[in-house]
Amino acid sequence: MDKPIDTLSGAILAGLSCACPRCGRGKLFKGFLTLRPNCEVCGLGYAFADSGDGPAVFIILIAGFIVVGAALVTEAVYQPPFWVHALLWLPLILLVTLGPLRPMKGLMIALQFHHKAAEERFGGGGP
Ligand SMILES: [Zn+2]
């Protein structure tokens, strides 16, 4: 096994490319958003990784800002008929929501791994 990723920039890069957060070479996903059970290169188990709704929340905020902003500007400048809005924004919504979902989920899992964040476990005996 090569040197594991130990820098924040390395973790971000591995996350955005949907790669294993420890070695940066194994694949993270087996489906569109389904995780593999573990890394095929270094064997890291992905059971710790549960980003939940995190990626979707960020994408909703960013995509909403882009689409609503673009629609407002278009309406203010050109005042097109409504079918033009439907034609423009429906594909854009799909593009800016589904497109970044995988890299965003990969990024959150990589950051979670990098910062060793996990669900609180009872009986850990922490301070
Ligand atoms: Zn790996």
Side-chain angles (χ1 to χ4, degrees), residues 23-115:
C23 66
R25 292 188 297 143
K27 291 194 188 80
L28 197 55
F29 297 107
K30 71 172 179 211
F32 181 59
L33 287 175
T34 316
L35 294 179
R36 291 166 180 271
N38 51 38
C39 174
E40 76 226 337
V41 177
C42 71
L44 171 69
Y46 293 150
F48 74 92
D50 182 12
S51 55
D53 293 336
V57 169
F58 279 111
I59 287 169
I60 285 169
L61 290 174
I62 297 166
F65 180 77
I66 293 171
V67 173
V68 172
L72 280 175
V73 168
T74 304
E75 177 61 30
V77 176
Y78 300 106
Q79 284 128 25
F82 283 120
W83 65 264
V84 174
H85 280 296
L87 212 65
L88 285 175
W89 311 128
L90 289 180
L92 183 68
I93 288 169
L94 291 179
L95 200 75
V96 295
T97 51
L98 296 181
L101 208 47
R102 265 170 74 115
M104 185 63 95
K105 183 168 180 176
L107 176 64
M108 298 203 76
I109 290 170
L111 291 178
Q112 187 185 355
F113 180 77
H114 182 73
H115 295 291

